[in-house]
């Protein structure tokens, strides 16, 4: 056989001559197939630092940051990144995190490691509530600063008018308290982000879709009328974490306190279904908007309210959960979209990918793209929308009468909210944006000082580049 014949037999295939496509070409086909394009009239930003995905709570812990990897891979496989402004945010600084949390607690997170034996009897350890739910793992402080930094970055894009809808799926850790960890949450990035929004917005509405009550956020803004919290969750005081969020938990009991009647709770029983959940959501959010008149909204999209979740007890499907985000988006207010709970990673990833498409106004094809990394984890159907309401199904204990009573209770509480709050008398938190600029300026000054010192040494030694490293 001649050399020419060999070359002809194994020549590189020409474009279109084979079904083999590059990854970019496959993604491009998905973009066309799903009609993905930048939204008209508004901007969506996506905030994701891949370093968060590498964190590991432990082999038996239900919190799996790897769910973020699956989410981002689906988003990229469909090509949704082409329709958004995508940012890799920096970590939050110590000073930024202490705008809400106590200094000694953040100090503790910064130095504690798994090699340090936690003594329940030690006064400097026990108050921080570290343990099985909130373990100490390698990279804990980095993890906290990364997901918090992403939420702060997203909030700043909203306040700077660089974005209308800002997404951070690594955020939404709503149980963390001012001086302790709780419920898999260490830093309350939601509180930090809302503080940032309050620099520019007189009123913020916080909506929580997690199956667990958003107690940490409610507690943080308990005594202010500048934030209204609305949490839809499973409630069982004795048997379901955190045991708070009953219908009578509406804020301070003293009506003279500005925060009175600004903490609204929707306590649900096991097994609520799609139709009931979506209708209930609309029935409670609408009067909140009409009465409170927020100028920005933060929505926590915890995936543990899906059917079949490892720690959940509802019968909700992905499209129904997304319908709540769609309804909130249609209100046309600056919107911060955050993650939260969710302990069946494949379904959490499906949900957050779908809700990313909701933010973009795009209807995705239900079959996951064949080139999606780790697609075997979505077997056997490999669908974006599996039927979850029948997975480990719970009997629906939420009667129509019970749900109507909840709506009536919410409307009754809103009667006490006398119009928009007066922001002149409220404490305005420090400008986290200014803190950020100051930190970055200090970093630049240190870099310039090191460079100046290196050049002086080189001039003295006469050897160029000797001190460059």
């Amino acid at each position: 056989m001649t050399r020419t014949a060999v070359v002809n037999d194994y020549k590189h295939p020409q474009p279109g001559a084979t079904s083999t496509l590059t990854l970019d070409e496959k993604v491009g086909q998905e973009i066309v197939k799903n009609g993905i394009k930048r939204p008209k009239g508004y901007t969506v930003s996506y905030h994701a630092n891949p370093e968060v995905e590498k964190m590991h709570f432990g082999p038996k812990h239900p919190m799996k940051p790897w769910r973020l990897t699956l989410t981002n891979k689906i988003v990229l496989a469909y090509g949704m990144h082409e329709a958004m402004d995508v940012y890799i945010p920096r970590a939050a600084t110590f000073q930024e995190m202490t705008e809400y949390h106590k200094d000694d607690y953040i100090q503790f997170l910064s130095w504690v490691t798994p090699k340090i034996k936690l003594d329940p009897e030690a006064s400097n350890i026990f108050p921080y509530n570290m343990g099985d739910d909130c373990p100490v793992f390698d990279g804990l402080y980095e993890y906290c600063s990364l997901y918090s930094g992403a939420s702060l970055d997203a909030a700043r894009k909203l306040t700077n008018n660089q974005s209308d809808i800002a997404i951070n799926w690594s955020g939404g850790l709503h149980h963390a308290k001012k001086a302790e960890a709780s419920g898999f949450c260490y830093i309350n990035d939601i509180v930090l982000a809302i503080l940032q929004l309050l620099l520019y917005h007189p009123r913020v509405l916080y909506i929580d879709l997690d199956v667990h009550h958003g107690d940490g956020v409610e507690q943080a803004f308990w005594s202010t009328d500048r934030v209204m919290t609305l949490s839809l969750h499973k409630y069982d005081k004795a048997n379901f974490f955190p045991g708070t969020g009953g219908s009578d938990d509406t804020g301070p009991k003293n009506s003279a306190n500005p925060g009175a009647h600004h903490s609204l709770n929707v306590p649900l029983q096991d097994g609520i279904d799609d139709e009931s959940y979506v209708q209930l959501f609309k029935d409670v959010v609408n009067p909140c908007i009409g009465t409170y008149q927020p100028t920005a909204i933060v929505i926590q999209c915890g995936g543990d309210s899906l059917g079949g979740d490892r720690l959940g007890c509802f019968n909700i499907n992905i499209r129904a959960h997304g319908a709540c985000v769609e309804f909130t988006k249609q209100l046309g207010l600056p919107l911060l979209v955050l993650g939260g709970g969710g302990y069946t990673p494949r379904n959490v990833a499906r949900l957050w990918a779908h809700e990313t498409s909701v933010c973009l106004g795009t209807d995705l094809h239900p079959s996951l793209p064949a080139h999606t990394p780790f697609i075997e984890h979505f077997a056997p159907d490999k669908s974006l929308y599996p039927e979850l309401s029948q997975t480990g199904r719970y009997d629906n204990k939420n009667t129509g009468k019970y749900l109507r009573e909840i709506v009536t209770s919410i409307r009754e509480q809103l009667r006490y909210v006398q119009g928009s709050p007066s922001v002149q008398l409220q404490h305005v938190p420090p400008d986290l944006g200014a803190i950020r600029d100051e930190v970055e300026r200090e970093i630049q000054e240190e870099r310039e000082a090191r460079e100046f010192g290196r050049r002086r040494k080189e001039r003295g030694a006469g050897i160029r580049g000797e001190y460059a490293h």
Side-chain angles (χ1 to χ4, degrees):
M1 182 178 290
T2 65
R3 183 172 183 273
T4 304
V6 172
V7 172
N8 287 337
D9 283 345
Y10 296 101
K11 65 182 180 181
H12 191 278
Q14 297 301 308
T18 175
S19 60
T20 302
L21 300 173
T22 66
L23 180 59
D24 284 346
E25 290 170 330
K26 292 176 182 177
V27 172
Q29 287 185 345
E30 287 295 328
I31 291 174
V32 174
K33 177 181 176 181
N34 291 280
I36 294 172
K37 54 187 176 182
R38 284 187 170 267
K40 291 184 178 180
Y42 68 96
T43 300
V44 178
S45 59
Y46 194 82
H47 305 259
N49 192 316
E51 294 301 312
V52 181
E53 304 168 20
K54 301 175 183 178
M55 302 302 172
H56 189 52
F57 279 57
K60 296 183 179 180
H61 199 286
M63 176 63 94
K64 308 291 184 186
W66 187 65
R67 62 196 181 147
L68 298 168
T69 301
L70 294 179
T71 301
N72 293 331
K73 295 302 183 185
I74 298 176
V75 168
L76 293 170
Y78 275 107
M80 286 187 276
H81 58 290
E82 294 289 345
M84 302 183 285
D85 293 338
V86 180
Y87 298 94
I88 300 178
R90 66 165 176 80
T93 66
F94 181 94
Q95 189 173 5
E96 285 170 331
M97 289 188 283
T98 54
E99 285 308 314
Y100 172 60
H101 294 282
K102 287 191 174 181
D103 289 22
D104 60 341
Y105 174 55
I106 303 302
Q107 286 280 9
F108 168 78
L109 293 177
S110 71
W111 61 256
V112 70
T113 71
K115 295 180 180 178
I116 298 175
K117 299 298 182 181
L118 299 185
D119 180 6
E121 301 301 321
S123 60
N124 65 326
I125 300 292
F126 184 70
Y128 303 124
N129 199 31
M130 310 300 284
D132 292 339
D133 279 359
C134 300
V136 175
F137 56 86
D138 286 325
L140 173 59
Y141 183 78
E142 182 185 11
Y143 169 69
C144 294
S145 59
L146 286 171
Y147 76 72
S148 299
S151 290
L152 283 170
D153 186 53
R156 290 182 186 122
K157 293 299 184 292
L158 294 175
T159 58
N160 293 339
N161 296 318
Q162 293 176 264
S163 180
D164 300 289
I165 300 175
I167 303 169
N168 171 29
W169 294 127
S170 69
L173 278 71
H174 59 170
H175 294 306
K177 308 303 192 299
K178 189 178 184 70
E180 69 175 31
S182 178
F184 315 159
C185 306
Y186 302 87
I187 297 296
N188 201 313
D189 63 289
I190 305 171
V191 173
L192 296 178
I194 291 176
L195 288 174
Q196 180 68 25
L197 293 174
L198 289 175
L199 296 172
Y200 301 88
H201 291 278
R203 297 171 300 282
V204 175
L205 173 63
Y206 170 70
I207 303 173
D208 195 310
L209 300 181
D210 202 281
V211 76
H212 301 95
H213 177 227
D215 58 333
V217 183
E218 179 183 276
Q219 186 180 106
F221 298 108
W222 186 255
S223 295
T224 180
D225 57 4
R226 292 192 59 194
V227 178
M228 176 174 282
T229 61
L230 175 65
S231 179
L232 295 82
H233 52 268
K234 154 77 175 183
Y235 176 69
D236 183 336
K237 188 172 184 177
N239 301 303
F240 196 80
F241 182 85
T244 55
S247 57
D248 57 344
D249 294 333
T250 60
K253 299 304 180 185
N254 185 347
S255 59
N257 190 307
H261 309 292
H262 283 74
S263 300
L264 304 180
N265 287 296
V266 179
L268 298 170
Q269 306 303 315
D270 291 350
I272 192 166
D273 57 25
D274 290 354
E275 184 178 357
S276 300
Y277 190 80
V278 175
Q279 188 59 53
L280 176 65
F281 181 84
K282 295 177 180 179
D283 288 344
V284 297
V285 170
N286 259 332
C288 289
I289 297 296
T291 300
Y292 187 60
Q293 300 176 31
T295 55
I297 298 176
V298 177
I299 186 166
Q300 194 262 26
C301 303
D304 47 9
S305 48
L306 291 176
D309 188 80
R310 181 176 174 184
L311 299 183
C313 55
F314 291 168
N315 298 324
I316 300 173
N317 284 295
I318 288 170
R319 283 193 173 96
H321 200 286
C324 298
V325 177
E326 172 67 26
F327 182 81
T328 307
K329 169 196 165 188
Q330 292 301 326
L331 296 171
L333 296 170
L335 180 60
L336 176 57
V337 181
L338 301 173
Y343 307 101
T344 304
R346 62 185 180 276
N347 293 336
V348 177
R350 286 165 160 141
L351 173 69
W352 291 345
H354 167 65
E355 291 181 340
T356 301
S357 76
V358 167
C359 293
L360 293 172
T362 298
D363 292 325
L364 298 177
H365 191 277
S367 296
L368 289 170
H371 57 271
T372 305
F374 312 113
I375 195 169
E376 65 277 5
H377 288 277
F378 302 96
D381 57 294
K382 298 180 181 178
S383 168
L384 187 61
Y385 305 111
E387 178 59 50
L388 300 179
S389 61
Q390 301 300 322
T391 305
R393 184 176 178 83
Y394 286 78
D395 291 337
N396 188 355
K397 298 180 180 178
N398 301 275
T399 65
K401 179 176 181 292
Y402 178 70
L403 297 179
R404 287 192 296 272
E405 289 173 350
I406 289 177
V407 175
T408 300
S409 175
I410 294 293
R411 291 178 181 274
E412 183 66 24
Q413 291 302 323
L414 289 170
R415 290 178 56 200
Y416 293 95
V417 179
Q418 300 298 323
S420 305
S422 171
V423 301
Q424 292 92 332
L425 301 179
Q426 300 296 314
H427 169 67
V428 178
D431 187 350
L432 296 183
I435 293 174
R436 173 200 59 188
D437 294 340
E438 182 179 348
V439 169
E440 292 177 349
R441 192 161 51 246
E442 289 175 357
I443 292 173
Q444 180 63 24
E445 289 173 356
E446 290 177 4
R447 186 180 298 116
E448 291 174 353
R450 287 197 300 269
E451 179 67 13
F452 177 74
R454 179 182 66 81
R455 289 175 178 171
R456 288 189 63 184
K457 289 182 179 180
E458 287 178 356
R459 283 197 298 269
I463 305 174
R464 183 177 176 83
E466 179 183 2
Y467 295 97
H469 304 290

